[in-house]
Amino acid sequence: IPVEPFDLVIFGGTGDLARRKILPGLYRRFLAGQMPVESRIIGAARGDLTDEAFRQMVAEAIAEFVPGDRRDDKMIAAFLERVGFVSIDAKGTGGWDQLAARMRPGVVRAFYFSVAPALFGDLAERLHAHGIADAQARIVVEKPFGRDLASARALNAVLAAHFDEHQIYRIDHYLGKETVQNLMAVRFANILFEPLWKAEYIDHVQITVAETVGVEGRGAYYDKSGAMRDMVQNHLMQLLCLIAMEPPYHFDPDAVRDEKLKVIRALDAPLPEDIVRGQYLPGGGQGGYVEHSENPQSRTESYIALKCHISNWRWKGTPFYLRTGKRLRARASEIAITFKEPPHSIFDDAKGWRENVLVIRLQPNEGMNLMMMIKEPGPGGMRLMQVPLDMSFADALGADAEDIPDAYERLIMDVIRGNQTLFMRGDEVEAAWAWADPIIAGWEARGDRPQGYDPGSSGPEDALMLMHRDGRRWREIK
Ligand code: NAP
C-alpha cells in the first residue's frame, strides 16, 4: 500500500548510515511501489555537491547495498530523478533558504537527523527559524539518544523546544524487525500463549544479541559507551518490554508505549553479583578490545550479561537474563522463553523430557520455533523426544521473503504514515536511562574490571556461572 507523497530531507545524507541503510531502503520501497512517484528525497550535508553528484553517490550506494536481482536500471533512474541535494551546515546560515525553496506544499514533510546528536538542537532551531518545519512535520532521530539520563533529558528538551512529541520519531531499528512485531501478533492475536505468559508458567527468559565484529575502526567512540549504553539500555530493553508488557487496550502508539513504560519502571536494578562484564582478548590474528579502543587502561565492556527481575504481579519470580557482546562465536539475536515443567509426569521414562521453549529469532533466519515434546516415533515404547515447531519466515513466504522490508525501510514508511508505535517515546528513553545510570555508577564506584574472553567464544566464564548458579544454561550461540 503506497504511503502519501512526501518530501524527505536527510541531514547527513552523505554519511555512512544514509549510504548503507536509508537511501538503499528508500529505493527498495520505491521498487515495491510503496514510495509514490510524487515524493522527493533531499540530501543535506556541508559538502558542496551538485544534485548530479549526489545522485551519483546514491546510485553507487544502491549498487553496493542492494542485491543484484533487486537492481533495475530503469527503476533506479526513475528513483534518482526524485533525489536532490542542498549544501547546509547545521550550525551555519547558508543553504536554508535554498532548502525552504525546495519544500512543496501539500505533501508530508519529514526530516531525518542522520548526524551527530550534538547537532540536533541546531537543526531543530533552524528548521523553525526558516519556516521549513510546519506543525505536521516529522523529525527522525538516531541513536545514541543520550549517554545518561541528564544528556537524554537535555536532548529531549532541545527537540521539545521546537517540536511536539507526536512529531518526534526516535529510531530503535530493532523495533522495525519483522519478528519483533510478530512477537506482538503471537502474544495478542492468539489465545494459546497469553494465559501461560506469566511467572506461574514461565521459568525464565533469555535475550541474546551476539555479534562477531569487534569495535575496530570506531573504538575511540565505543570506549565512551560500552555494551550497556550501546545495546542494553535501548535494544535489549525494548525487546524485554515487548515480552513483558501487559496487553495494550489497542494497537495504538501511546497505548503500546504506555505499557512498555510501565515495564521499565517496574524493572529492578540487578544485584552487583548478577552483572558480568567482559572485554574480548586478542586472537585470530587480531588485536583485543584494548588495542581496538586504543586505551590500554580501558574498563569499558564489550560484553555484558545480567539477570534482572520485574517487580509486578505478572513477573514476580521469573528472571530475565540479558546478554550482548562483540567478537563472539556467531552473529545471532534471539529471545527464548522457557516454560516450566508440567506439575506431574505420568511417564516412567522422563529422561528425554525437556522444557518447552519459544524461540524468537531476530537474526539470522528471522522466525519462530516452539520446542515441543512428542513421543519418539517407532516401537520403542513411550519414549519422549523434543521437536521444533518451526516457522521460518523465508520458508513460509517463499520467494516473497525477499520483499520483506528491512527494519529501516519499514520505520521510514511508518514515519510518513505518521505511526509512532515502533518508535521510542521521550519518557521511555528517560526511564531506561534512569534504570541504567545507577547500575553503571555502581560498577564505576566499585572499580570493577571487565573479565577477558576469547574472540570466537560465547563470552566470559563468569557469564556461564551466572546461569549455572541458578541451575540453568544459556542457549548455545550459533
Ligand atoms: P557519518 O558517516 O560520520 O556521517 C555524518 C554525516 O553528517 C555526513 O553526511 C556529514 O557530511 C554530515 N555532517 C557532519 N557535520 C555536519 C554539519 N555541521 N552540518 C550538516 N551536516 C553535517 O555518520 P553516520 O555513521 O552516518 O551516523 C549518523 C548518525 O546516525 C549518528 O548520530 C550515528 O550515531 C547514528 N547511527 C549510525 C549508524 C551507522 O550504522 N552508521 C547506526 C546507528 C546510528 P559533511 O561532513 O559533508 O557535512
Side-chain angles (χ1 to χ4, degrees):
I1 307 168
V3 296
E4 282 178 64
F6 58 85
D7 280 348
L8 170 66
V9 179
I10 309 172
F11 291 105
T14 54
D16 175 68
L17 184 68
R19 291 187 61 257
R20 275 192 312 114
K21 291 288 182 188
I22 306 172
L23 291 161
L26 284 161
Y27 162 70
R28 282 177 51 117
R29 289 301 94 208
F30 184 70
L31 190 66
Q34 208 175 13
M35 169 180 156
V37 290
E38 300 85 3
S39 305
R40 297 285 176 273
I41 297 163
I42 303 165
R46 287 168 304 178
D48 193 15
L49 271 68
T50 58
D51 284 338
E52 203 40 54
F54 184 63
R55 285 186 195 125
Q56 180 62 31
M57 194 214 84
V58 177
E60 284 163 15
I62 292 172
E64 193 174 347
F65 298 109
V66 175
D69 59 349
R70 300 279 137 173
R71 295 201 303 262
D72 174 312
D73 287 346
K74 266 209 193 120
M75 289 303 279
I76 292 176
F79 176 73
L80 293 177
E81 277 175 32
R82 282 148 188 94
V83 172
F85 186 82
V86 179
S87 174
I88 285 187
D89 182 345
K91 290 180 168 302
T93 50
W96 293 98
D97 290 338
Q98 286 90 316
L99 181 63
R102 292 220 186 177
M103 305 303 291
R104 300 165 302 160
V107 299
V108 173
R109 285 187 189 184
F111 302 92
Y112 202 126
F113 291 7
S114 184
V115 294
L119 298 175
F120 289 178
D122 297 301
L123 291 175
E125 188 190 317
R126 283 164 176 75
L127 282 172
H128 256 267
H130 292 83
I132 300 173
D134 53 26
Q136 307 311 319
R138 288 136 212 191
I139 57 169
V140 185
V141 298
E142 268 295 338
K143 85 170 209 185
F145 202 86
R147 70 180 310 277
D148 53 20
L149 179 57
S151 53
R153 275 192 181 141
L155 271 184
N156 275 335
V158 145
L159 297 178
H162 301 289
F163 293 92
D164 279 345
E165 183 62 33
H166 77 266
Q167 298 179 281
I168 305 171
Y169 290 72
R170 295 176 195 78
I171 288 229
D172 184 321
H173 67 275
Y174 272 65
L175 293 182
K177 288 182 184 285
E178 186 71 24
T179 1
V180 171
Q181 292 166 72
N182 225 322
L183 173 60
M184 287 191 272
V186 164
R187 277 194 67 189
F188 304 128
N190 296 292
I191 191 70
L192 277 181
F193 292 109
E194 206 47 31
L196 305 180
W197 210 260
K198 50 175 122 169
E200 208 178 334
Y201 298 107
I202 293 183
D203 178 72
H204 74 280
V205 176
Q206 295 185 22
I207 304 178
T208 300
V209 177
E211 297 177 286
T212 50
V213 292
V215 302
E216 56 275 32
R218 58 182 202 114
Y221 160 79
Y222 187 89
D223 203 45
K224 295 195 200 77
S225 166
M228 180 69 158
R229 289 190 167 98
D230 192 49
M231 298 296 293
V232 177
Q233 181 272 346
N234 41 44
H235 305 316
L236 278 79
M237 176 72 85
Q238 289 294 321
L239 300 180
L240 181 146
C241 285
L242 295 178
I243 297 165
M245 71 182 183
E246 295 300 315
Y249 73 90
H250 190 248
F251 191 58
D252 158 276
D254 277 326
V256 171
R257 297 185 301 176
D258 285 346
E259 296 307 334
K260 282 161 56 194
L261 180 62
K262 287 183 207 162
V263 174
I264 306 176
R265 293 201 169 137
L267 192 60
D268 294 339
L271 301 170
E273 58 268 33
D274 290 338
I275 305 171
V276 177
R277 296 190 312 131
Q279 264 182 359
Y280 60 86
L281 298 165
Q286 287 202 43
Y289 179 80
V290 290
E291 286 85 32
H292 287 162
S293 66
E294 295 170 23
N295 176 5
Q297 304 304 325
S298 175
R299 291 186 180 187
T300 303
E301 75 285 354
S302 62
Y303 175 101
I304 187 165
L306 52 88
K307 173 169 86 166
C308 49
H309 286 275
I310 300 170
S311 281
N312 63 18
W313 276 45
R314 187 188 281 264
W315 294 114
K316 191 75 191 172
T318 295
F320 283 69
Y321 297 91
L322 317 184
R323 66 177 163 164
T324 178
K326 302 205 174 285
R327 290 276 271 150
L328 295 175
R329 178 175 300 149
R331 177 165 181 256
S333 304
E334 64 167 42
I335 301 166
I337 293 143
T338 301
F339 292 85
K340 289 188 173 167
E341 303 182 34
H344 166 70
S345 173
I346 62 168
F347 303 108
D348 293 334
D349 175 26
K351 263 205 322 269
W353 186 83
R354 300 278 178 279
E355 302 101 336
N356 294 129
V357 186
L358 176 65
V359 182
I360 299 148
R361 279 194 317 272
L362 276 60
Q363 66 190 22
N365 312 326
E366 281 196 66
M368 296 197 192
N369 244 318
L370 179 60
M371 307 305 288
M372 303 272 295
M373 295 311 299
I374 61 162
K375 175 190 168 297
E376 195 176 281
M382 182 50 93
R383 298 192 18 192
L384 302 175
M385 70 180 284
Q386 194 178 45
V387 291
L389 268 181
D390 194 348
M391 198 188 77
S392 146
F393 293 159
D395 291 349
L397 296 171
D400 294 340
E402 271 288 310
D403 290 327
I404 298 181
D406 96 343
Y408 274 94
E409 296 171 35
R410 178 190 314 274
L411 292 173
I412 296 170
M413 291 300 109
D414 277 358
V415 172
I416 306 301
R417 287 196 196 94
N419 185 344
Q420 289 186 306
T421 310
L422 300 175
F423 296 83
M424 294 180 294
R425 209 167 53 191
D427 52 2
E428 260 184 273
V429 177
E430 290 185 14
W433 280 122
W435 174 80
D437 273 4
I439 304 172
I440 297 170
W443 73 56
E444 283 178 352
R446 292 190 299 275
D448 289 355
R449 283 191 171 279
Q451 188 181 38
Y453 62 94
D454 287 327
S457 70
S458 51
E461 282 290 312
D462 285 357
L464 302 181
M465 290 311 298
L466 179 70
M467 278 283 197
H468 285 183
R469 268 192 342 237
D470 296 348
R472 301 188 174 102
R473 271 184 304 134
W474 290 110
R475 285 169 49 80
E476 205 182 321
I477 296 175
K478 58 181 180 194

